[in-house]
């Protein structure tokens, strides 16, 4: 039977896609249904039809799955942030392990994977230490904030996010009340007019310190002294209030320049015994409890000795670098964001660590340049990779192989690019020895992974 747009189909959901959508079949025609859960029987409306597959909108749950639960957040279905909140947490972990395994087998060509059990969360709510709330107006013209609906820039009003720091709601309410009182307009993406684009909130889970950063369309925020007063009154744990200047017609959230208008331009947080300074633009893992577990696993995989050298590529504010420095002779970190490199150097000094050195620049440019400068003699006992979702540039992978590390520890937030890069290493003399997924992002389809690769010649000795 041929299915077309607007057809209504009844489906038993038997699988889920990599983005968490349910998958069912109607007369051999595969339908992907957002918000459907494995085990559901549903009615769905076809919204896009191809020859052998299509996409459907969930219309009715005829029989709920045994894995289905009531979402804590009433906006979970509309919001693009929590794709799996209607799935029990135990089943979410199963989904993430399966997703990782599928990508490694299909894209990487791996079999008999040396995979360890996923490191789950003890409490999968209110774990995030960072949230970015877009600001706009609803149809009635009222200022709202919340999160974008999936794959759109339509703001779903939400001030009590189930995975954000609980302190966020009062801060958001205070900022919105301030905007209304002083007539400060929300940014309009269509016209490019208005001032406040986003409210960024960062919190130090171990220190209690909070940063509030308003991303503004311009160079100054009217009535900033009044904003400082009301925010400090709302939450005395706020130690940093900043404005970030983004006057570009872009969907990139942060501009290049951030200014502190109260306190310092950073907050501090701890992972284990190490203390870190975090600025508005720095990359810092959003789930510090799971980060400690992930970094402990990375350190275990690195198996460092006191005479060994490490290159930590995509090092951010030095979180992994400083962990590794406790066991290594020397650690070199590379990071493209200059502010993060500044923070990394400050973090080394803050923790009285002297055996680390940081370089500012793109890893795919800095590391090959250092290799050329050495005349091809640059070596590293261990290389740690923690790239963004796009994975590693091939030029960097080539240079890493030329550096002949005994061990490579790859930390990934995207199973597809991880599988691609691991395949490259496998084709160039490295063996995948250990894999451990870690759930850093409860209720979303994302999964973090740490892998260990060993040089084949080393293994055969």
């Amino acid at each position: 039977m041929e299915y077309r747009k607007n057809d209504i189909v009844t489906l038993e959901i038997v699988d889920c896609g990599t983005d968490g959508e349910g998958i069912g079949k109607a007369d051999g025609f595969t339908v992907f249904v957002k918000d459907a859960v494995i085990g559901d029987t549903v009615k769905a409306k076809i919204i896009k039809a191809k020859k052998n597959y299509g996409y459907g909108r969930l219309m009715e749950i005829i029989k709920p799955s045994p894995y289905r639960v009531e979402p804590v957040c009433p906006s979970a279905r509309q919001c693009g942030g929590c794709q799996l909140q209607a799935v029990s947490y135990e089943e979410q972990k199963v989904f993430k392990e399966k997703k990782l395994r599928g990508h490694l087998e299909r894209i990487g060509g791996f079999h008999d994977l040396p995979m360890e059990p996923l490191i789950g969360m003890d409490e999968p709510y209110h774990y995030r230490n960072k949230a970015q709330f877009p600001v706009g107006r609803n149809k009635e013209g009222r200022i709202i904030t919340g999160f974008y609906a999936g794959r759109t820039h339509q703001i779903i009003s939400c001030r009590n996010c189930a995975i954000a720091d609980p302190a966020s709601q009062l801060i958001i309410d205070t900022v919105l009340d301030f905007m209304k009182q002083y007539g400060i307009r929300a940014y309009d993406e269509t016209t490019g007019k208005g001032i406040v684009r986003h409210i960024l909130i960062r919190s130090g889970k171990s220190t209690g310190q909070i940063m509030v950063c308003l991303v503004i369309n311009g160079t100054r925020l009217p009535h900033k002294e009044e904003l400082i007063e009301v925010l400090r009154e709302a939450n005395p744990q706020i130690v940093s209030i900043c404005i970030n200047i983004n006057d570009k017609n872009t969907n990139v959230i942060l501009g290049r320049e951030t200014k502190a208008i109260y306190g310092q331009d950073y907050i501090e947080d701890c992972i284990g015994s190490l203390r870190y300074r975090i600025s508005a633009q720095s990359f810092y893992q959003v789930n510090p409890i799971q980060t400690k577990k992930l970094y402990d696993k990375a350190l275990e995989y690195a198996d460092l000795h006191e005479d060994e050298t490490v290159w930590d590529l995509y090092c951010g504010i030095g979180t992994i670098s400083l962990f590794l420095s406790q066991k290594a002779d020397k650690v070199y970190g590379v990071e493209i964001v200059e502010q993060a490199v500044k923070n990394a150097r400050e973090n080394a000094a803050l923790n009285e660590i002297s055996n680390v050195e940081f370089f500012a620049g793109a890893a795919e440019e800095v590391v090959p340049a250092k290799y050329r400068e050495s005349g091809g003699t640059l070596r590293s006992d261990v290389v740690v990779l923690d790239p963004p979702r796009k994975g590693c540039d091939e030029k960097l992978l080539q240079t890493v192989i030329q550096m002949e590390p005994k061990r490579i520890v790859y930390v990934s937030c995207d199973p597809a690019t991880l599988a691609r890069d691991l395949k490259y290493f496998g084709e160039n003399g490295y063996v995948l020895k250990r894999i451990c997924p870690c759930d850093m992002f409860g209720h979303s389809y994302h999964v973090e992974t740490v892998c260990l690769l060993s040089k084949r010649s080393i293994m055969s000795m």
Side-chain angles (χ1 to χ4, degrees):
M1 179 176 176
E2 184 176 345
Y3 287 96
R4 297 190 174 123
K5 183 177 179 180
N6 296 324
D7 283 349
I8 304 294
V9 292
T10 298
L11 303 166
E12 182 182 348
I13 304 300
V14 296
D15 202 352
C16 56
T18 56
D19 292 348
E21 69 278 23
I23 302 174
K25 287 184 181 289
D27 301 315
F29 183 76
T30 301
V31 185
F32 297 86
V33 186
K34 179 181 174 294
D35 304 311
V37 173
I38 289 180
D40 278 344
T41 301
V42 304
K43 279 189 178 179
K45 183 177 183 180
I46 305 294
I47 55 176
K48 184 185 291 186
K50 302 289 186 179
K51 185 176 181 181
N52 297 314
Y53 69 94
Y55 298 90
R57 179 181 292 116
L58 179 63
M59 304 300 289
E60 180 187 350
I61 300 170
I62 299 171
K63 180 183 176 184
S65 164
Y67 308 124
R68 178 174 284 279
V69 296
E70 185 66 29
V72 169
C73 175
S75 303
R77 183 172 174 182
Q78 299 95 325
C79 173
C82 288
Q83 305 86 10
L84 302 178
Q85 212 179 107
V87 182
S88 72
Y89 185 63
E90 288 304 310
E91 190 62 21
Q92 289 182 34
K93 293 190 288 184
V94 172
F95 160 75
K96 293 182 183 191
E97 285 187 339
K98 183 178 177 182
K99 174 179 177 175
L100 174 61
R101 188 180 297 276
H103 278 90
L104 291 174
E105 291 176 348
R106 188 174 65 256
I107 299 171
F110 294 99
H111 300 285
D112 300 319
L113 289 164
M115 188 181 293
E116 300 169 27
L118 178 141
I119 302 172
M121 297 170 60
D122 296 327
E123 176 48 66
Y125 292 100
H126 298 298
Y127 59 84
R128 287 188 64 95
N129 58 20
K130 175 186 175 184
Q132 298 171 136
F133 297 86
V135 182
R137 289 186 178 274
N138 62 12
K139 294 177 181 179
E140 291 75 36
R142 193 174 75 253
I143 298 174
I144 61 168
T145 189
F147 298 99
Y148 292 128
R151 304 182 189 279
T152 77
H153 269 215
Q154 175 192 351
I155 298 174
I156 302 299
S157 181
C158 176
R159 297 180 304 193
N160 186 20
C161 174
I163 60 173
D165 189 307
S168 297
Q169 182 173 4
L170 179 57
I171 292 170
I172 290 168
D173 290 345
T174 302
V175 172
L176 296 190
D177 288 345
F178 158 78
M179 291 176 65
K180 293 170 189 173
Q181 181 176 354
Y182 293 100
I184 296 173
R185 292 184 297 160
Y187 179 72
D188 187 321
E189 288 186 348
T190 305
T191 64
K193 304 293 184 183
I195 296 178
V196 179
R197 302 174 69 130
H198 278 78
I199 304 167
L200 165 64
I201 302 171
R202 302 195 84 142
S203 57
K205 292 289 188 179
S206 65
T207 62
Q209 296 181 6
I210 295 174
M211 169 190 286
V212 180
C213 180
L214 267 58
V215 183
I216 63 171
N217 176 38
T219 57
R220 57 179 294 273
L221 178 68
H223 302 283
K224 67 179 182 181
E225 296 300 329
E226 288 82 357
L227 174 66
I228 293 168
E229 183 180 349
V230 294
L231 280 174
R232 290 184 63 192
E233 184 179 330
N235 192 324
Q237 291 181 295
I238 295 173
V239 299
S240 173
I241 302 174
C242 302
I243 57 171
N244 174 268
I245 298 165
N246 183 0
D247 55 6
K248 306 294 184 186
N249 183 15
T250 175
N251 60 5
V252 176
I253 293 175
L254 292 173
R256 293 179 64 88
E257 184 180 3
T258 301
K259 298 178 181 178
I261 60 174
Y262 167 75
Q264 62 243 14
D265 62 356
Y266 62 86
I267 59 170
E268 293 185 352
D269 196 19
C270 298
I271 301 177
S273 62
L274 296 174
R275 195 172 183 94
Y276 298 94
R277 285 184 178 175
I278 310 145
S279 65
Q281 289 164 293
S282 296
F283 172 78
Y284 183 70
Q285 293 282 9
V286 300
N287 188 334
I289 294 174
Q290 292 299 97
T291 297
K292 172 67 165 56
K293 299 175 185 177
L294 178 76
Y295 287 2
D296 281 344
K297 184 62 69 173
L299 189 60
E300 176 190 330
Y301 282 9
D303 188 25
L304 289 167
H305 305 281
E306 291 181 356
D307 61 344
E308 290 188 315
T309 298
V310 182
W311 279 78
D312 177 17
L313 311 181
Y314 311 95
C315 70
I317 62 171
T319 45
I320 294 181
S321 300
L322 299 187
F323 252 68
L324 299 171
S325 71
Q326 300 171 93
K327 299 282 187 178
D329 177 55
K330 183 75 176 184
V331 179
Y332 298 95
V334 182
E335 169 59 42
I336 193 171
V337 179
E338 291 185 8
Q339 178 62 48
V341 174
K342 177 176 178 287
N343 286 154
R345 290 168 179 154
E346 292 170 344
N347 290 332
L350 189 66
N351 292 280
E352 299 181 343
I353 292 173
S354 58
N355 63 333
V356 294
E357 186 175 351
F358 296 101
F359 302 101
E364 60 268 23
E365 296 174 3
V366 171
V367 181
K370 294 291 181 185
Y371 185 80
R372 290 192 299 270
E373 289 170 12
S374 75
T377 63
L378 181 65
R379 294 292 182 269
S380 180
D381 296 293
V382 176
V383 169
V384 176
L385 299 163
D386 188 5
R389 297 198 190 284
K390 67 179 181 178
C392 297
D393 186 283
E394 189 170 324
K395 185 166 60 173
L396 176 64
L397 297 179
Q398 291 171 352
T399 306
V400 168
I401 289 164
Q402 290 171 327
M403 292 165 68
E404 299 183 347
K406 302 169 194 171
R407 300 175 296 283
I408 298 170
V409 178
Y410 195 131
V411 179
S412 168
C413 58
D414 187 281
T417 56
L418 171 67
R420 180 200 67 201
D421 291 349
L422 293 183
K423 181 179 181 181
Y424 187 93
F425 281 124
E427 292 169 345
N428 288 275
Y430 284 83
V431 176
L432 180 59
K433 294 293 293 179
R434 298 178 69 181
I435 311 163
C436 185
C438 180
D439 187 18
M440 302 281 284
F441 316 103
H443 306 295
S444 82
Y445 56 72
H446 299 295
V447 58
E448 197 91 1
T449 310
V450 58
C451 301
L452 170 65
L453 299 112
S454 294
K455 200 169 190 303
R456 191 171 284 118
S457 58
I458 297 292
M459 290 185 56
S460 61
M461 290 175 62

